[in-house]
Amino acid sequence: MTSSTDLVSSIIDTLRASDNGKSMNLKKLRSSVLTEEDKSSKKLFKEAVKQLEKDERVSLSSDGEVKLSKSERKSADDEPAEKKKKSKKEKKQKKEKKSKKRKDTSSSDDEKESKKQKKEDETPDNYDDEGNGEEESNNEEAEAQNDDPADKNKPCKNNPQGITRLFIGNLPFAITETTLNDFLNGSITHLKWITDKETGKFYGSAFAELRNSKDAAKCMQEINGTQLMGRPIKLNYAPPRDLEDWPPKSRVITGGKVANAAGQAGGKGIKAMSVKPEGCCKLFIGNLSYDIDDEGITKFFMTVDAEIKAVRWLFHKDSGDFKGVGYVDFWNTEACEKAATLNGKNLLGRPIRIDWAE
């Protein structure tokens, strides 16, 4: 039987070797990793994915897409860079050895040759024969300029107006500020979730202020249209209107108000519930953690004195895997209404989604 450590390594390697190099459907990933899909092997695989998600090495979307974290993808990308660095060091050592040999063989009374040799030795390694700095030096200088506040709105390639605010659309309802910031390369300084003024329902869109115009251009070029939690994200430049109070005083706000502590989209109204059927005593619950059980869900609803009558979890017909959703019956409609007030609240690290069920 494959050990837990070997299984974790195999999952990471398989994701890196996927078509896009970072994500894969959970079921397809399991088939690729496991040689035998018996009950015990599936259990080990499920535990390995849970551990990787807990360690923030992968993320699991509600539609079953397993995605490598940014740090894991960066780790894989850094391997060629290390080889390049080593090769550069060897090249430098070879050059120094050759230089030393020329010094030993040169005539001591040849002053001109000595000066020429000295000039060669003092030439920095990051310059070519014509005295031009290599691309690495230019990149370091550009990065240093990015930290200068005066360059925040400086026009740049693909962003001639120097805009630093982006509109972000087609966001999943379970999105958080941390997840979105990681998706945009950690460049967000301020964020506003767009919600309905009356219901508080999250519209699946936001405005984000980025560090500078170059970060905004990079996001538009490299991230616009890519997948986040199973959705293709839409980005557009969105310069603030005249007299608009932007950026906001708080880092994260929701519909003009300060967002909750988790930076969750939509605050209390992550998604508006449907119209309640008359005398309803049953709720649909979704976006659940895979660690949820009868005791956990019972304690959760008892925080608002809503006693559960029965709970039914839903599983995939083919694989038997938990879908992350279920139905809860209550003894009366009053208890059901109390339980519904927990819509959008965090349960085991996830904002629970609640709606009426018949």
Side-chain angles (χ1 to χ4, degrees), residues 36-73:
E36 297 181 5
E37 293 195 43
D38 52 52
K39 190 173 182 179
S40 60
S41 297
K42 286 182 178 180
K43 184 177 180 181
L44 280 174
F45 175 81
K46 185 177 179 180
E47 291 174 352
V49 172
K50 279 185 183 180
Q51 188 58 45
L52 284 168
E53 189 176 19
K54 184 178 179 181
D55 295 340
E56 297 183 351
R57 299 179 67 186
V58 304
S59 60
L60 180 62
S61 66
S62 56
D63 62 349
E65 190 78 5
V66 183
K67 184 177 179 181
L68 280 174
S69 67
K70 184 179 177 183
S71 59
E72 285 295 328
R73 297 198 301 271

Side-chain angles (χ1 to χ4, degrees), residues 90-288:
E90 291 174 350
K91 185 177 180 181
K92 181 179 178 181
Q93 290 174 344
K94 186 176 180 181
K95 181 178 179 180
E96 290 175 348
K97 186 176 180 181
K98 185 177 179 180
S99 175
K100 185 178 179 181
K101 185 177 179 181
R102 284 202 300 265
K103 279 186 177 182
D104 293 339
T105 57
S106 65
S107 174
S108 59
D109 59 342
D110 194 340
E111 184 178 355
K112 184 176 179 181
E113 185 64 24
S114 177
K115 287 182 179 180
K116 181 180 179 181
Q117 183 63 49
K118 183 178 180 180
K119 185 176 180 180
E120 289 180 2
D121 292 339
E122 291 176 350
T123 302
D125 293 321
N126 63 334
Y127 278 78
D128 57 24
D129 292 337
E130 296 178 358
N132 297 320
E134 292 182 349
E135 185 178 355
E136 180 180 351
S137 176
N138 292 334
N139 288 340
E140 290 176 356
E141 184 179 349
E143 289 177 4
Q145 290 177 349
N146 281 345
D147 296 332
D148 188 349
D151 292 334
K152 177 176 172 65
N153 296 100
K154 188 175 181 179
C156 62
K157 185 178 180 181
N158 300 315
N159 190 359
Q161 294 180 318
I163 298 169
T164 56
R165 189 172 84 158
L166 296 182
F167 169 81
I168 311 168
N170 201 34
L171 291 167
F173 288 111
I175 191 68
T176 64
E177 181 268 335
T178 300
T179 303
L180 184 58
N181 191 34
D182 289 343
F183 183 67
L184 296 183
N185 301 321
S187 59
I188 294 178
T189 62
H190 295 82
L191 183 66
K192 178 181 180 181
W193 303 116
I194 302 176
T195 59
D196 187 277
K197 292 181 180 179
E198 296 181 1
T199 66
K201 178 182 177 182
F202 177 48
Y203 283 146
S205 53
F207 287 112
E209 179 71 16
L210 305 192
R211 286 176 306 207
N212 52 55
S213 56
K214 289 186 178 181
D215 283 333
K218 186 175 182 181
C219 288
M220 287 295 298
Q221 286 295 110
E222 301 178 3
I223 299 177
N224 186 25
T226 60
Q227 297 271 336
L228 173 60
M229 297 171 69
R231 287 172 172 262
I233 302 303
K234 300 176 181 178
L235 301 179
N236 278 307
Y237 289 119
R241 293 171 294 181
D242 293 339
L243 304 179
E244 182 178 359
D245 186 15
W246 188 267
K249 294 179 181 179
S250 299
R251 174 178 167 82
V252 184
I253 64 172
T254 298
K257 300 179 181 179
V258 178
N260 59 26
Q264 180 183 317
K268 294 181 179 178
I270 184 172
K271 186 176 182 181
M273 297 175 66
S274 58
V275 178
K276 179 190 174 187
E278 186 176 353
C280 181
C281 294
K282 181 187 286 188
L283 292 177
F284 166 83
I285 51 176
N287 196 38
L288 299 170

